[in-house]
Amino acid sequence: LVPVALISFAGLTKSAQMPFSSWLLGAMVAPTPVSALLHSSTMVKAGVYVILRFAPALQGTAVGFIIALIGGTTFLIASLVVVSQSDAKKALAYSTIANLGLIVLCAGVGTYEAMWAAMLLIIFHAVTKCLLFLCVGAVEHRIHSRNIEDMDGLIISMPKISIMMQIGMVGMFLAPFGMLISKWAVLKALVDYNPLLAVFVIFGSASTIFFWVKWLGKI
């Protein structure tokens, strides 16, 4: 179990879990296509993939529970922080950290249901977040700002990009899109395993809904 714990620790740093998340925010200076690729589907997902591979060994152990707590705490804190962000790329970065925390939480639990929920999260988060990163880059290229406050009435000035952004946003929190189905699967797995861990998901998800609705209203 000690080697598994050490490899999982490496996975936590790679997936930007608290308190190792500052490097992901610093990487926002990269060009938009690079951000979309690395922060939605390849680089950070390598960390959670490693932990998921060892999830069966973590199931029912103290190490697994600690990893689940780290993931749950990261999800809650990052979800609360994202509400205060006005820089669109930084907001998407915090949202990525939060969703990675949710995947780590599932990996720490290690049950069959939690594993399926984590895999669904990896797939659907990659698709929606990649779309949002690319849209924010297109908006920044046109209006020379990526501040959410400067995106008022984007539906009039850039209708096609605005519609694509709206699809990405509703994909993060509304039915029948995959992220909502994934989070439902996470909640089901956590209630069956330890209802206390579901509290992190409930409060964190409430915060993210507030943020996405606010941004959706702006554009």
Side-chain angles (χ1 to χ4, degrees), residues 2 10 46 57 65 84 105 159:
V2 173
F65 187 71
S84 67
L105 172 58

Side-chain angles (χ1 to χ4, degrees), residues 13-95:
T13 57
K14 182 71 173 174
S15 57
Q17 297 300 285
M18 298 284 182
F20 309 109
S21 54
S22 58
W23 70 266
L24 185 64
L25 302 171
M28 283 293 110
V29 297
T32 300
V34 177
S35 298
L37 176 67
L38 297 184
H39 298 165
S40 67
S41 56
T42 55
M43 185 171 63
V44 290
K45 293 288 170 63
V48 291
Y49 175 76
V50 166
I51 302 173
L52 275 173
R53 293 288 291 183
F54 287 99
L58 294 169
Q59 184 182 353
T61 64
V63 174
F65 187 71
I66 291 168
I67 288 172
L69 281 178
I70 292 170
T73 304
T74 300
F75 176 69
L76 180 58
I77 293 173
S79 297
L80 292 171
V81 170
V82 75
V83 177
S84 67
Q85 299 301 313
S86 56
D87 185 307
K89 282 184 80 172
K90 192 170 280 189
L92 291 177
Y94 273 113
S95 175

